[in-house]
Amino acid sequence: MDITLQDIRKTFGRVIACDRVTLAVPGGTIQGLLGENGAGKSTLMKILSGFLRPDSGEIRLDGTPVIFRHPADAVRTGVGMLHQDPLDYPTLTVLENFMSGRPERFFPSRSAATRRLRELAGTFGFAIDPRACLDTLTVGERQQLEILRLLSLDVRVLILDEPTTGISAAQKAQLFETLRRLAVEGRTVLFVSHKLEEVESLCHRVAVLRSGALAGAQVPPYTTAELVALMFGRPIVFPQREPAAPGRPVLELRALSAMDDRLRLAPLDFDLRAGEVVGLAGLTGSGQRLLLRTCAGLVRPVAGTVRVNGRDLTGQVYPSCRRHGVVFVPTARLEEGLIGDMNLSEHLLLVQPPRRLFIDRPRALEAAEERIRDFAIRGSPDSLMRELSGGNQQRALLSLLAPPLALILIEEPTRGLDLESAAAVWTRLRAHCRAGAAILFLSSDLDEIRAHSDRIVVFFCGRSSPPLDPSRTDREELGRLIGGKGWDREAAG
Amino acid sequence: MDWPTILLTGLAGVLATAGPLVVAAIGEAISERAGVVNLSLNGTLILSAMAGFAAAVATGSLAAGFLCGAAVGAAAALLVAFAGITLRQSQVAVGFVLALTLRDLAYFLGAPVMGAAGPRLDILPVPLLERLPVVGPMLFRQDVMTYASFLLIAAAWVWIYRTRPGLTLRGLGEQPAAAFVRGADVIRLRYLYTVAGGALVGLAGPMYSLSVKAGWKGTISGLDGLGWIALALTIFGGWHPLRIAAGAYLFAFLQWLGVVLQPFLPGIPSQVLQVAPFPFMILTLVLVNVGQAEWTSRLLALLPEGGRRRLAGLLRLLRASPPAALGQTFKRE
């Protein structure tokens, strides 16, 4: 189905989310939609799928103008969308999720729906148990189910909004395979992402949005530098790794072991020196997260010692670790790191409470303004944290880390961030390193680990490898270790 | 009278006195499943009891009494829905204020009919079925509204778990945006279910004043607090009609037991037996919901594998969590 978006405009209050965007997508293609966070990609796609109504502009399908009052209208016409946060019912079963929204009879036939689901899942090689409860599925499986549900409704246009966040590499490969196949069948796929390499490997053509307007388009062969320039309006400078001058040890772990309900960390000896960055790699739940949280004093170790700058902090809780210059930056920014309904100046007051009863509001605002300038946060001292984009939340979180810092423990420093924000985050972290802090971070992004670590430690089932030199360890070898291969040799060495 | 007869009549009475609680709690469960919490239950129940009684006295028609009660309940729910959905105010605050206001309104407006002689629902035995041993006298010698409460349990279960609109209803309180992309008109459905649930709560009032606790005696009608019990039953019953009904029957049974046992336990003050059902009820329901507690899973981990899995399965069956979007407003943009 050919899609034409003509002069689509959408505003939220004073913010222009889409500014007269015109885009034509021929049927049977995979169209990529690139743009940094907040460029208007999601808004545009929500308009195409009937979730939002445009202020002005026209949508034409195969040349016929259509008006969607409701997402169900769009699905009936053949346009379906996978939202960035899955819109499904976690407490219901897979089958119930599949049946919901389908034109079933008043008393739906479970057996017929089960057959249909099995048949469709079989076609694409998805293994989904219809009787399972949805909250036992991974994000990737929930996504597969949603694709099947939309296909069973016979959509001919499939929109995917950042579908690769939170799914495994294998699921990503399977997803791309599925999308290619759908395109071959003549369906149109719109793939929204801020990750260049994904778009380059999958899409037949790419359009780039910047600040709500169409910045440009490309067809293969893609030139990464040009796409980056289109996305950000200028080239991005990536922080380079600087060889660490080995300083004095900041963090010393001796036979440290910890445990949660799933995992036990094998005794670990490790030294981290001032100015050094060490990346922890491994599949989710292999022990790297447990180690970070143990060092932060959020998990009590079962054995061993943690020393920071020579001081024994074993079993100390996070507030006392903080007093000794240890900070922890969690993945779940809005759940653990920030308070969604408070603004930046209030956060600053919480972190550096004045020694008085009453708050000096003008000064707090001034301090917040200063952070906003220094960290290039898009927002005002009064914007609530939950209203900021992911990249700006992460910058705000980093702006709260007050020097002098001894040790920064950070989970997934750039998850969900666009290139510019990611570069900004690492520039900041580097600056802390130069000032003498050491960084221990975990990431599921191997490229990030390789690009920023002075040494890499791989985790597998609670065991940890000896520190590896990134310049002498290639991607494949890291991948093997993460997957659990070659551990006996490593342990011997 | 012989013992079996006393027991059977007693149990039949338990089913009848639990009837209004069943209806009110299922009504509340329906509106909460849609994502709207209607806290006005206690006030609605008392006002609809008074209004239903007054209407029945004025018209001489029992049907008019029940209709009037349902209308009062629907109107109160409409108020909560309007404030919560359209004006986006806190449903909890509005409901709570209504709970207090409507109760006092009932006492104030009900003064003229206080102590008046009014009609009362007759027992309507079901031919043939009433002769069945044991079941007959218990289930089939009741008044028409008690039969209706039995039917409501089944109908609500079928609607929620077996029909297409029921599936949407479950999604509505869980993740309204997901229901929206699946074609539901979230605002309209929420209004509809809140008002329907409120009408059921409004039926429960006249079930007291025209049957279970016939008459209107103002502040000593003995209705104050029952709305809160119904609300607790909704929560402990896991928003599930069968479990709500089981809870209501258990509560009525314990109250009856208190009355029956009174003469045999002269050492215990009568107040203790009257109040005992409340804490006992809470204890039972907490035990039923124990599967959700973190320490339960830790205790379970100590058991041998086979037994553990069976017990965990049983606890999961009993587990219930509130609709995730309960009390939240839905905004499209």
Side-chain angles (χ1 to χ4, degrees), chain A residues 10 50-53 69-72 83 86-89 91 96 100-101 104-108 110 146 149, chain B residues 158-159 161-165 167-168 170-172 174-175 177-185 321 330 332-333:
Chain A
K10 175 77 185 173
F51 196 93
L52 296 176
R53 274 172 287 203
R69 290 177 205 290
H70 196 283
H83 290 259
L87 287 183
D88 50 18
Y89 308 125
T91 52
E96 285 166 340
S100 168
E104 300 277 353
R105 288 176 309 206
F106 185 74
F107 289 106
R110 279 168 185 262
E146 188 66 4
R149 189 181 75 81
Chain B
V158 170
W159 184 268
Y161 292 102
R162 282 291 172 266
T163 68
R164 176 172 42 76
L167 190 56
T168 307
R170 281 194 281 160
L172 220 48
E174 203 55 54
Q175 165 83 284
F180 175 65
V181 299
R182 284 163 170 75
D185 186 340
S321 54
F330 170 70
R332 184 171 181 173
E333 350 196 305

Side-chain angles (χ1 to χ4, degrees), chain A residues 151-172:
Chain A
L151 290 180
S152 84
L153 295 169
D154 206 24
V155 300
R156 281 163 295 157
V157 177
L158 192 63
I159 305 165
L160 300 102
D161 192 359
E162 304 279 4
T164 56
T165 316
I167 71 175
S168 71
Q171 283 170 335
K172 187 162 121 182

Side-chain angles (χ1 to χ4, degrees), chain A residues 119-379:
Chain A
E119 179 188 300
L120 265 172
T123 327
F124 291 97
F126 297 161
I128 299 180
D129 176 10
R131 285 162 307 178
C133 198
L134 196 73
D135 55 15
T136 62
L137 267 57
T138 62
V139 175
E141 287 169 327
R142 282 164 71 172
Q143 201 174 63
Q144 292 176 349
L145 174 64
E146 188 66 4
I147 292 178
L148 295 182
R149 189 181 75 81
L150 290 171
L151 290 180
S152 84
L153 295 169
D154 206 24
V155 300
R156 281 163 295 157
V157 177
L158 192 63
I159 305 165
L160 300 102
D161 192 359
E162 304 279 4
T164 56
T165 316
I167 71 175
S168 71
Q171 283 170 335
K172 187 162 121 182
Q174 201 175 12
L175 173 69
F176 282 13
E177 207 37 61
T178 307
L179 296 182
R180 288 196 186 100
R181 180 169 163 175
L182 292 178
V184 170
E185 285 173 6
R187 294 183 220 254
T188 314
V189 175
L190 285 116
F191 184 86
V192 178
S193 181
H194 65 263
K195 294 183 191 149
L196 279 167
E197 64 273 32
E198 287 177 6
V199 170
E200 286 179 6
S201 74
L202 177 72
C203 299
H204 299 146
R205 34 194 285 142
V206 173
V208 182
L209 281 181
R210 187 173 75 233
S211 311
L214 199 67
Q218 272 198 4
V219 288
Y222 300 115
T223 41
T224 307
E226 259 176 53
L227 284 176
V228 170
L230 283 175
M231 276 169 80
F232 299 100
R234 62 195 158 77
I236 301 288
V237 185
F238 294 99
Q240 290 302 307
R241 192 168 74 228
E242 302 150 23
R248 67 208 148 68
V250 169
L251 175 73
E252 295 162 275
L253 306 179
R254 292 290 170 270
L256 183 74
S257 178
M259 153 178 197
D260 63 12
D261 40 330
R262 263 170 249 148
L263 189 79
R264 190 186 171 99
L265 209 58
L268 176 67
D269 289 280
F270 181 70
D271 278 1
L272 184 65
R273 295 173 173 279
E276 199 181 23
V277 180
V278 171
L280 309 178
L283 295 171
T284 310
S286 300
Q288 63 278 45
R289 181 180 146 97
L290 189 57
L291 175 67
L292 276 193
R293 285 175 184 249
T294 309
C295 293
L298 296 167
V299 174
R300 220 185 153 79
V302 289
T305 54
V306 179
R307 296 174 79 82
V308 174
N309 281 338
R311 195 186 301 265
D312 189 352
L313 291 182
T314 315
Q316 297 282 320
V317 290
Y318 183 56
S320 68
C321 292
R322 272 210 67 153
R323 274 195 294 278
H324 295 107
V326 180
V327 291
F328 173 69
V329 185
T331 321
R333 287 185 281 266
L334 225 39
E335 287 77 32
E336 294 182 285
L338 298 165
I339 302 163
D341 280 321
M342 286 176 85
N343 62 37
L344 183 63
S345 54
E346 287 164 334
H347 274 82
L348 280 169
L349 286 166
L350 284 175
V351 176
Q352 299 161 316
R355 303 239 164 266
R356 279 175 305 170
L357 178 62
F358 293 101
I359 290 166
D360 185 352
R361 202 173 142 69
R363 265 192 56 190
L365 284 178
E366 206 176 290
E369 287 284 7
E370 192 187 307
R371 304 298 160 102
I372 285 172
R373 253 194 328 273
D374 286 359
F375 286 79
I377 300 169
R378 245 171 273 166

Side-chain angles (χ1 to χ4, degrees), chain A residues 406-429:
Chain A
L407 174 62
I408 302 175
L409 305 159
I410 180 163
E411 294 179 340
E412 305 280 4
T414 62
R415 173 188 269 184
L417 266 50
D418 60 51
L419 281 173
E420 191 192 26
S421 295
V425 164
W426 274 109
T427 309
R428 277 290 153 188
L429 292 175

